[in-house]
Amino acid sequence: MNEPFNKNLTKSEFLLYCEAPRHLWARVNNRMTVQTSEFTRLLGEQGYQVESLARDYLEQVVLPQTPGARLNWQATFQSDFFEARADALVNQPGSESYDLY
């Protein structure tokens, strides 16, 4: 008997599915190999640099403007079958509200 399929779908896999559903099937079933180009590698490196700059900005500029605010970096939330990760949440003191970045 087949085991139930239990795998999280990443953003990258979703984008691959949007490009071509069969590409996702091939990737999940190890029928597709992806060779990373120099351009793609550079984009990834720049993504990490931008992430670092964003965190620095939030910690050095946004948080000091709101005393008591807390930064929650890359918080993950789950509900049943769904999972989402926010880059940054800033909790506003004295309330249950958040700014989402």
Side-chain angles (χ1 to χ4, degrees), residues 8-75:
N8 292 337
L9 181 67
T10 67
K11 180 173 70 172
S12 297
E13 290 170 340
F14 175 72
L15 293 173
L16 183 62
Y17 174 82
C18 290
E19 177 185 311
R22 289 183 179 176
H23 288 176
L24 176 61
W25 179 92
R27 167 87 54 85
V28 169
N29 290 284
N30 296 320
R31 306 273 175 99
M32 176 184 194
T33 58
V34 177
Q35 298 204 3
T36 305
S37 69
E38 185 66 22
F39 177 71
T40 302
R41 187 190 60 73
L42 179 61
L43 284 178
E45 287 178 11
Q46 288 178 338
Y48 288 119
Q49 291 170 349
V50 168
E51 182 179 284
S52 178
L53 290 170
R55 187 169 188 161
D56 289 347
Y57 174 78
L58 290 170
E59 290 174 341
Q60 297 171 15
V61 176
V62 173
L63 290 180
Q65 292 178 2
T66 310
R70 291 184 323 240
L71 174 62
N72 193 344
W73 190 255
Q74 295 191 343

